[in-house]
Amino acid sequence: MADKASDTPVLDLLASMTADSLDASSLDPRTLMLVRIGALVAVDAPPASYLLNLGAAADLDVDAEEIRGVLAAVAPIVGTTRVVAATGNIVRALGAAVDLAELQEGMPGAD
């Protein structure tokens, strides 16, 4: 049995998969993240998926206006209900990010 390499093996795997997709794609990283967000809308992804991808997008300076642009671009294809659901899931993901940050601030040793 392999040694425990990480406390977050699933998150590590997802981060690795994201990095691999960046390497494999001919798209620039910002465009790739916008496409990924559009795909999340199309598959009715849960808030946790948005949280991971919005974090990666923010690291690449993708802003809220660009996310709104993606939602508008995919709406005719995926439909209003998917875009409304995606908007709610994005809001929930952002709320979760705030909650996580507050929890980390309250942990012993946090500055």
Side-chain angles (χ1 to χ4, degrees), residues 30-42 50 54 57 62-78 83 86-87 90:
R30 294 181 84 254
T31 302
L32 181 110
M33 290 312 304
L34 292 170
V35 170
R36 287 176 63 99
I37 291 164
L40 293 174
V41 176
Y50 284 100
L54 289 173
V62 173
D63 63 25
E65 186 60 33
E66 291 171 298
I67 302 300
R68 283 190 288 274
V70 168
L71 295 174
V74 300
I77 305 300
V78 300
V83 172
T87 302
I90 289 169

Side-chain angles (χ1 to χ4, degrees), residues 6-111:
S6 170
D7 290 333
T8 58
V10 174
L11 290 176
D12 294 345
L13 173 62
L14 294 173
S16 175
M17 290 168 55
T18 298
D20 289 346
S21 72
L22 286 168
D23 291 341
S25 176
S26 63
L27 298 174
D28 66 271
R30 294 181 84 254
T31 302
L32 181 110
M33 290 312 304
L34 292 170
V35 170
R36 287 176 63 99
I37 291 164
L40 293 174
V41 176
V43 300
D44 198 20
S49 293
Y50 284 100
L51 182 59
L52 292 171
N53 285 279
L54 289 173
D59 290 345
L60 296 168
D61 296 323
V62 173
D63 63 25
E65 186 60 33
E66 291 171 298
I67 302 300
R68 283 190 288 274
V70 168
L71 295 174
V74 300
I77 305 300
V78 300
T80 306
T81 56
R82 285 279 167 103
V83 172
V84 170
T87 302
N89 287 335
I90 289 169
V91 169
R92 283 187 281 289
L94 295 174
V98 169
D99 290 345
L100 287 171
E102 289 174 354
L103 282 173
Q104 288 176 341
E105 286 177 10
M107 295 179 76
D111 293 326

